[in-house]
Structure formats: structure tokens, C-alpha cells
Amino acid sequence: MCATCGCSDSGVVVIDGEAATHEHLHDHPHPHDHPHDHTTHDHDHDHGEVVTLEQQVLARNDLGAARNRGWFEGRGILALNLMSSPGAGKTTLLVRTITDLLTDEDGRGVAVVEGDQETAFDAERVRATGADVVQVNTGSGCHLDAEMLARALQVLDPAVGSLVMIENVGNLVCPALFDLGEAARVVIMSVTEGDDKPLKYPHMFRRADLLVLNKLDLLPHVEFDVDRCTADARRLNPDLEVVAVSATRGDGLDDWYDWLDVRGGRRRPQPVPG
Amino acid sequence: MPESRQWVPLTPIASAGRRLYNEDVHEMAITQSVIEAVAERSGGRPVTRVTLVIGTLSGVVADSVRFCFDLATSGTALEGATLEIVEVRGRARCRDCGDEVELPDFLALCTCGSADLEILAGEELTVASAEVAA
């Protein structure tokens, strides 16, 4: 009995398409055991055939993300994927950051891709800072994918050496699965959301590079244990960096800017001397 | 404010017409990706069965994919196809004691108490095969 193709049940021909036509566009692990060697089957039936794909479901998105990543790197652009639940303060942090960067004469240019299901409210807020912005409305879609970003970048046309901030659709679940080609993933979480979010949404926190705890100014009014939240997030992701800020009042923003500096995200790249 | 920073008009880049179906959950987008992958390989012939491998740690809920599958395949070469999902349970190797343990979630510990686990299985999200009508 062949578990993969069911050939002993219904009389089918196994075509191992992987060797013949499957283009290996990327490396992926094969953590499961193959139950048998497909190539040894040679049945002669004409009731149907099983096409073996053994292909990552998200292969297409991952390929698009790789293209975007190369596109960014070729232009010396630092791209950040900002993710959070709705209302965590992504746009407020973004507006504050852009305002500070644009008034810094050594600051990088900033361009923004705004993802929301509907409306251009966020793009309007970003536009008011003077930064270039494109709004992507996903309709009922709950996340941005690599192809949407590629199309947005065509319109946005960010300058060489700039910082591109991608504000994903407000959602702690789906955006975690879709690589956009960003250099780093930033999860923004507000203290009003409850300190149990990392354990409730482990995928998002596992795949993040930085956790920004926002609305620090409201901490005295809510039950939120910063240490517990940080510890839980690091149980999922020991490499996660954490900064705590108030995007409205300004607390902790230096830590956020320091993180950006380390990534080369704030200052314009300096010409190599000589 | 530097003069070069212009406002780019709002462009509905990815709204109507890009997708055939709504993506209320990411499982719908996942299911769409499955359909695209299979359709690319089936050459337009009707598909009667699709086999997916979904790990319990993959972030994709098998039941949601089942729910989305009939909806998303309607009107495609995969319409009416049987969906078979092979669920792979999370498994890890402890870097401290070397044992292999079940990993029901990312926070589980080894029986020796260690959290230093290397995930061996459970993150799969692959299209294994499709059965195409002759």
C-alpha cells in the first residue's frame, strides 16, 4: 500500500514531477519521511494519475518575498514590516518616527506602504508628515503578501538608500505567515492589550525581530506586567529585542531609534572615505 | 520639509479583481495558494484529490483549510476534489538530554525540564500530491 499515491487502491500512475519539472527555486527542509521511493513505481493504468508536488504551500509568496528582498538590497533600502493588532499605535509610532527623521538633516528619506482592509485614513496621517505613502486596501484580506508589496513599491518608487516602513494590516495572526521581503519584523503591542498576547499569538512573536511595547504612558492605569510579557515573548523567541515606548509622549523613543541606528535605518548611509 | 517628498495618489493596488475569493482568514489565502500550485501542474485537467501535509505548529488550522477548500475550488479544475490532510504532530529533540519529545505547542518543555528544543516536525505546510483525472 502506497500512502502517497494510493496506487494499490484505484490504479494510478505515479509521476514524480519533482525531479522532472519542479523547479527548486529555494531550499526547503524535508522533515517528514517519505514512505517509499516514488521512482520505482511503474504501473500501467489509465484511470488517472497522481502528480507529486512536495511543494511548500507558500512557495509562491516566498519567491515574491525573495524578489522584494533583492530589490531592496540593490537599492540600499532598509524595509521594516510593522505588525500589530488594530489600535496598538502603529501609525502613531510611524508618524512620530517620520517626523523626527525628516527633521534630522542626516536622516534617511522615509517612504511608507500602508495596509488596511479599507479607507486611506492612515495614509492621510502619514501624508501629513511629508513622507511618500501608498495605501494598499486589501478588501477582506487580512494581511499583506509579497505580491501586494511589489505592486505597491512600483507606485511608491522609494529613493535609493531610504527607509521603507510597511504597515501591515492590523492583525496578530495572518501577517506572521507571509514574508514580504523585509529586513526585519517589528511587532508593536500596547500595554492596554494585556500582557498575555505573546502566548496567545505565538507565531507572530516567534518570527519577530523587535517587540515595541507602546502606550507606556497608560501603564499606571492598566494591569500589565512588562516583565511577564517580555519573559513570555522571549520564551517563544530568545533573540527577540524589546523596547518600551510611548509614541504620544515620547518615552523610550531613543531606544527605538537606537535599534533603528543599529540596523542602519535612521541615518543616511555615509560615503566610504577615499 | 524637503520639497521632493510628494504625495502619491491613493491607489487601490490590491483590491477588487485581484483575488477570486475573499480572504477572511489566512487559511483562505493558504487554500488559494494550494489551488494555484495544483492547477499549474495539472494542466487544466480535472483534479479529483489533493493531499496536503499540515503540521500542528505551522500556524495553519487544518479544519479551516477544509472549510475553505470547497468554497475556493468552486469553478476551478479542483471543484469536487477530495481534500486529504495529513496532520503532522510537533516533535522536538532536546539539546540538553538528547531525548525526542512531543511538542504540542512552542512552550512545551522536555521531560527533563529543558526548554532548549530543536523542532524536528510540526511546521510542515506542503502540497504533497494531486490526483488528476485521465
Side-chain angles (χ1 to χ4, degrees):
Chain A
M1 177 62 197
C2 164
T4 298
C5 70
C7 54
S8 65
D9 288 341
S10 55
V12 289
V13 178
V14 175
I15 299 174
D16 189 350
E18 191 168 18
T21 57
H22 177 71
E23 291 176 19
H24 263 280
L25 301 165
H26 60 119
D27 291 319
H28 54 87
H30 274 269
H32 54 279
D33 295 330
H34 283 274
H36 67 130
D37 180 354
H38 301 285
T39 55
T40 57
H41 286 261
D42 186 19
H43 300 289
D44 187 18
H45 301 293
D46 56 2
H47 303 299
E49 62 188 51
V50 170
V51 181
T52 306
L53 287 95
E54 295 294 355
Q55 176 177 322
Q56 297 290 328
V57 169
L58 289 172
R60 188 173 168 150
N61 185 73
D62 291 345
L63 177 62
R67 283 205 190 104
N68 290 342
R69 195 163 274 121
W71 195 91
F72 287 131
E73 283 174 7
R75 286 162 181 77
I77 291 171
L78 183 85
L80 301 179
N81 184 359
L82 309 184
M83 296 172 283
S84 79
S85 0
K90 283 191 299 301
T91 313
T92 301
L93 179 68
L94 199 50
V95 165
R96 176 78 187 233
T97 304
I98 294 167
T99 306
D100 289 349
L101 284 176
L102 293 189
T103 51
D104 180 346
E105 46 182 54
D106 291 327
R108 284 194 188 226
V110 187
V112 177
V113 176
E114 279 291 341
D116 282 297
Q117 289 198 322
E118 300 291 349
T119 82
F121 295 161
D122 284 355
E124 305 277 1
R125 287 174 65 189
V126 172
R127 174 182 61 165
T129 66
D132 289 342
V133 57
V134 162
Q135 177 83 47
V136 178
N137 283 137
T138 58
S140 60
C142 51
H143 59 271
L144 294 177
D145 65 28
E147 185 189 329
M148 291 178 197
L149 177 63
R151 294 171 66 181
L153 291 171
Q154 295 283 315
V155 177
L156 187 63
D157 193 19
V160 168
S162 59
L163 171 65
V164 170
M165 302 279 222
I166 306 152
E167 186 177 333
N168 218 311
V169 178
N171 178 349
L172 280 180
V173 184
C174 312
L177 293 184
F178 293 84
D179 185 10
L180 301 179
E182 68 279 332
R185 297 175 152 217
V186 179
V187 180
I188 297 148
M189 208 193 120
S190 61
V191 299
T192 53
E193 291 172 59
D195 50 22
D196 54 1
K197 283 290 175 294
L199 298 190
K200 285 181 169 174
Y201 301 95
H203 291 277
M204 177 59 75
F205 291 87
R206 256 173 67 79
R207 298 181 191 203
D209 296 289
L210 175 70
L211 168 61
V212 178
L213 282 176
N214 191 24
K215 307 191 186 179
L216 206 56
D217 50 310
L218 298 180
L219 197 57
H221 309 290
V222 293
E223 294 216 357
F224 186 97
D225 186 335
V226 172
D227 291 338
R228 179 195 161 186
C229 181
T230 304
D232 284 349
R234 285 195 171 133
R235 276 172 71 193
L236 293 162
N237 180 355
D239 296 328
L240 185 69
E241 294 183 73
V242 181
V243 298
V245 307
S246 164
T248 52
R249 213 172 55 181
D251 319 37
L253 283 178
D254 284 344
D255 293 335
W256 158 237
Y257 292 141
D258 285 347
W259 184 87
L260 275 177
D261 277 341
V262 169
R263 300 266 163 179
R266 189 151 65 129
R267 304 276 169 174
R268 205 177 300 133
Q270 296 298 311
V272 180
Chain B
M1 219 55 82
E3 289 174 13
S4 61
R5 299 181 204 287
Q6 301 166 346
W7 162 240
V8 175
L10 301 178
T11 313
I13 291 164
S15 54
R18 205 186 79 81
R19 298 277 179 178
L20 286 172
Y21 304 96
N22 293 339
E23 295 172 10
D24 294 318
V25 291
H26 64 276
E27 278 82 0
M28 184 54 101
I30 296 292
T31 311
Q32 290 275 346
S33 303
V34 169
I35 293 167
E36 283 170 15
V38 171
E40 267 175 28
R41 292 287 300 283
S42 67
R45 289 172 294 171
V47 175
T48 51
R49 175 183 288 266
V50 174
T51 305
L52 305 182
V53 179
I54 299 181
T56 53
L57 304 174
S58 69
V60 172
V61 181
D63 280 344
S64 296
V65 174
R66 285 192 191 98
F67 176 81
C68 294
F69 190 77
D70 286 345
L71 194 66
T73 53
S74 167
T76 74
L78 283 72
E79 184 166 353
T82 303
L83 175 66
E84 184 189 354
I85 296 182
V86 179
E87 286 195 75
V88 180
R89 296 167 76 171
R91 218 173 66 245
R93 179 183 294 120
C94 177
R95 291 196 184 95
D96 286 329
C97 74
D99 274 2
E100 267 191 45
V101 291
E102 289 239 350
L103 197 64
D105 58 59
F106 292 116
L107 295 172
L109 302 175
C110 178
T111 44
C112 77
S114 171
D116 193 4
L117 298 171
E118 175 194 2
I119 296 179
L120 301 174
E123 296 187 294
E124 296 82 357
L125 186 57
T126 53
V127 192
S129 63
E131 190 174 310
V132 181

